[in-house]
C-alpha cells in the first residue's frame, strides 16, 4: 500500500506565561492509502496537537510548529502541508482531508440549516452549481443515516440530537470525497449506544469510500474492531506502533502493557475494576532529555534516564521506543 501521509519529526510547542509546553516532541509516522490508523494515549499525550499541527489549526501564538514535515501525496503529487499558505491549506482541509472533532455543537453553525452547511462545503471545494450541491447533500444525509433527508435538509442544528449532529459533521467531512478523514475522539460526547452506531458508520464508510482514517481515542476497546494499525502516544512522543493484532498480542512498550492492563476484560469476574497506570503524566514544561515514561516505568534503568529512546524496529510493521526488551526481560542490545 502506498503512503498517503508521511509525518517526520514533528515538534510543536506552546509559549505560555507558565513556561514552554513541549506538547509534541518529534513525532514520526506514516498513513497508508485506505487504512485506518488509531492514535491512543492518555489525556495530554499530544494526540490532538499532532493533528492540529498537520492541519494548520494550531493557534499562533501561543503555539508554534517548530520542526517537521507532513508530506501529503494525492493523485501522484506530494506537498508538505506544513509549507502551504493558509489559503492552500484551507483548500486541502475539508476537501482532500476531512475532519471530525469531538464536539459536533461547536463545529456546526447554529444559524445555518444543516443542508446549507453541507452544500456550502461542496460549492466551496468543488465547481458545482447550487442545485447540484443540494442534490448531493440530500444523498450525503442519507449516506450517513439521517432519515427523511429531504425534510431534514431544512432543519437547524438545535433540531438534531447529538448523534445526528455528529452524523452531519461526518457528512461534511466526506462531502468532497477526501482521501483522508481525521476523527478526533468523534464519539466521546455521545452516549454508548450512539457511540457504537457512529463507529459502525465509520466502518461502512471505510469500505464504501476507500478512505484512509486517523481515529484518535482514549478507548483501546473501540480500536480492535475498527483499526488496522495503532499508534500509542506518550508525552508528545510515539511510544509504540504496530498492527492491531501485534499490539494486543505482543505489546513491546511498558506503557502499552499498562494501557492494555487497564482494559476491562469480559472474561474476568471482577470486570468493573479498571487497573490504572501508577503515577502521573509527564510535566511537559520540562524539555525532554530522557524517556518520558521513565518516571512511571517498572523496567527503567540508567540509560532510560540519559537518552530519549528512538523508534526501534521489531518487525516491518512493529516499532517501539523503549530500551528494555520486555520479551527477553533485559535491556536491548545496541
Ligand atoms: N492552545 C494551547 N495552549 C497551551 N497549551 C496547549 C494548547 N493546546 C494544547 N496544549 C497542551 O498541549 C499538550 C497536548 O495536548 P493535546 O490536546 O494534544 O492532548 P491530547 O492527547 O489530545 O489529550 P486529550 O485526550 O485530553 O484530548 C497538553 O499539555 C495541552 O495542555
Ligand atoms: Mg485531544
Amino acid at each position: 500500500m502506498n503512503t498517503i501521509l508521511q509525518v517526520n519529526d514533528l515538534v510543536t510547542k506552546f509559549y505560555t506565561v507558565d513556561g514552554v509546553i513541549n506538547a509534541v516532541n518529534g513525532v514520526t509516522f506514516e498513513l497508508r492509502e485506505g487504512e485506518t490508523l488509531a492514535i491512543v494515549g492518555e489525556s495530554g499525550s499530544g494526540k490532538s496537537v499532532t493533528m492540529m499541527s498537520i492541519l494548520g489549526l494550531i493557534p499562533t501564538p501561543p503555539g508554534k510548529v517548530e520542526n517537521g514535515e507532513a508530506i501529503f501525496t494525492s493523485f501522484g503529487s506530494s506537498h508538505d502541508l506544513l509549507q502551504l499558505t493558509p489559503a492552500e491549506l484551507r483548500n486541502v482541509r475539508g476537501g482532500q482531508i476531512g475532519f471530525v472533532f469531538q464536539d459536533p455543537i461547536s463545529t456546526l453553525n447554529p444559524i445555518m440549516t444543516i443542508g446549507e452547511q453541507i452544500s456550502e462545503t461542496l460549492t466551496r471545494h468543488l465547481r458545482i452549481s447550487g442545485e447540484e450541491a443540494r442534490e448531493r447533500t440530500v444523498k450525503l444525509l442519507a449516506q450517513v443515516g439521517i432519515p427523511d433527508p429531504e425534510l431534514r435538509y431544512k432543519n437547524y442544528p438545535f433540531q438534531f440530537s447529538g448523534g445526528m449532529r455528529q452524523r452531519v459533521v461526518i457528512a461534511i467531512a466526506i462531502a468532497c470525497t477526501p482521501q483522508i478523514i481525521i476523527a478526533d475522539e468523534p464519539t466521546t460526547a455521545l452516549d454508548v449506544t450512539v457511540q457504537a452506531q457512529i463507529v459502525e458508520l465509520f466502518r461502512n464508510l471505510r469500505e464504501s469510500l476507500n478512505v484512509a482514517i486517523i481515529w484518535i481515542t482514549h478507548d483501546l476497546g473501540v480500536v480492535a474492531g475498527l483499526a488496522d494499525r495503532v499508534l500509542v502516544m506518550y508525552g508528545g512522543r510515539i511510544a509504540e506502533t504496530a498492527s492491531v493484532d501485534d499490539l494486543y498480542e505482543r505489546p513491546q512498550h511498558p506503557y502499552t502493557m499498562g494501557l492494555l492492563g487497564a482494559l476491562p476484560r469480559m472474561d474476568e469476574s471482577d470486570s468493573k475494576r479498571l487497573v490504572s497506570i501508577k503515577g502521573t503524566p509527564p510535566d511537559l514544561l520540562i524539555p525532554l532529555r530522557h524517556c518520558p515514561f521513565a518516571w512511571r516505568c517498572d523496567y527503567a534503568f540508567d540509560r532510560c534516564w540519559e537518552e530519549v529512546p528512538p523508534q526501534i524496529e521489531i518487525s516491518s510493521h512493529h516499532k517501539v521506543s523503549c530500551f528494555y526488551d520486555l520479551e527477553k526481560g533485559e535491556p536491548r542490545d545496541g
Side-chain angles (χ1 to χ4, degrees), residues 47-48 184-185:
K47 305 181 298 293
S48 298
D184 191 350
E185 311 221 35

Side-chain angles (χ1 to χ4, degrees), residues 136-165:
R136 283 175 71 157
T137 297
V138 172
K139 283 196 191 125
L140 279 162
L141 286 171
Q143 194 177 359
V144 296
I146 304 281
D148 300 324
E150 291 273 2
L151 282 173
R152 289 300 200 161
Y153 185 101
K154 300 183 206 102
N155 283 172
Y156 288 88
F158 77 88
Q159 293 168 294
F160 274 41
S161 68
M164 279 165 70
R165 278 195 287 255

Side-chain angles (χ1 to χ4, degrees), residues 6-298:
Q6 176 69 51
V7 175
N8 294 320
D9 204 15
L10 183 71
V11 176
T12 302
K13 298 181 180 175
F14 291 95
Y15 292 84
T16 71
V17 283
D18 299 324
V20 182
I21 298 175
N22 299 280
V24 175
N25 298 302
V27 159
T28 296
F29 69 92
E30 84 266 8
L31 176 72
R32 299 176 198 134
E33 271 173 12
E35 80 167 340
T36 300
L37 176 70
I39 303 190
V40 299
E42 64 197 350
S43 194
S45 56
K47 305 181 298 293
S48 298
V49 172
T50 299
M51 291 309 135
M52 300 290 227
S53 303
I54 295 168
L55 291 170
L57 294 172
I58 292 290
T60 39
K64 188 160 186 262
V65 180
E66 302 218 322
N67 189 58
E69 30 176 45
I71 311 292
F72 174 49
T73 304
S74 158
F75 302 114
S77 70
S78 296
H79 303 279
D80 182 354
L81 297 176
L82 304 185
Q83 301 299 332
L84 296 185
T85 64
E88 286 169 331
L89 210 49
R90 268 198 300 279
N91 261 332
V92 174
R93 267 197 322 255
Q96 291 144 299
I97 303 182
F99 52 91
V100 181
F101 295 135
Q102 181 172 336
D103 176 10
I105 300 183
S106 57
T107 317
L108 295 172
N109 183 339
I111 57 165
M112 260 172 100
T113 68
I114 296 291
E116 282 165 355
Q117 297 191 49
I118 304 176
S119 294
E120 195 206 29
T121 304
L122 286 164
T123 47
R124 187 166 4 114
H125 290 280
L126 311 174
R127 277 191 212 101
I128 59 174
S129 69
E131 189 47 38
E132 210 179 328
R134 201 197 133 79
E135 277 168 28
R136 283 175 71 157
T137 297
V138 172
K139 283 196 191 125
L140 279 162
L141 286 171
Q143 194 177 359
V144 296
I146 304 281
D148 300 324
E150 291 273 2
L151 282 173
R152 289 300 200 161
Y153 185 101
K154 300 183 206 102
N155 283 172
Y156 288 88
F158 77 88
Q159 293 168 294
F160 274 41
S161 68
M164 279 165 70
R165 278 195 287 255
Q166 194 59 304
R167 286 174 191 269
V168 172
V169 175
I170 295 167
I172 293 172
I174 64 169
C176 305
T177 45
Q179 280 109 316
I180 301 176
I181 297 176
I182 296 176
D184 191 350
E185 311 221 35
T187 61
T188 29
L190 308 170
D191 70 55
V192 183
T193 339
V194 183
Q195 278 183 15
Q197 290 166 2
I198 297 289
V199 171
E200 187 56 28
L201 172 60
F202 265 93
R203 213 177 278 139
N204 294 337
L205 290 175
R206 185 177 76 149
E207 302 303 318
S208 57
L209 303 175
N210 188 34
V211 62
I213 298 171
I214 295 179
W215 180 276
I216 299 177
T217 180
H218 282 99
D219 186 353
L220 263 177
V222 172
V223 168
L226 187 70
D228 302 299
R229 278 195 311 132
V230 187
L231 207 143
V232 179
M233 282 195 74
Y234 189 85
R237 301 264 306 165
I238 293 177
E240 182 163 7
T241 159
S243 66
V244 171
D245 292 346
D246 259 31
L247 193 93
Y248 283 78
E249 279 162 31
R250 304 179 53 202
Q252 301 288 323
H253 198 290
Y255 177 61
T256 314
M257 286 231 305
L259 278 183
L260 290 170
L263 268 187
R265 292 183 49 156
M266 304 307 258
D267 54 351
E268 274 172 13
S269 52
D270 191 12
S271 65
K272 281 196 206 71
R273 214 195 54 184
L274 275 169
V275 187
S276 61
I277 304 167
K278 70 174 166 83
T280 49
D283 183 353
L284 298 173
L285 287 167
I286 305 170
L288 197 61
R289 299 224 165 78
H290 53 72
C291 173
F293 192 60
W295 283 286
R296 291 165 86 178
C297 186
D298 288 334

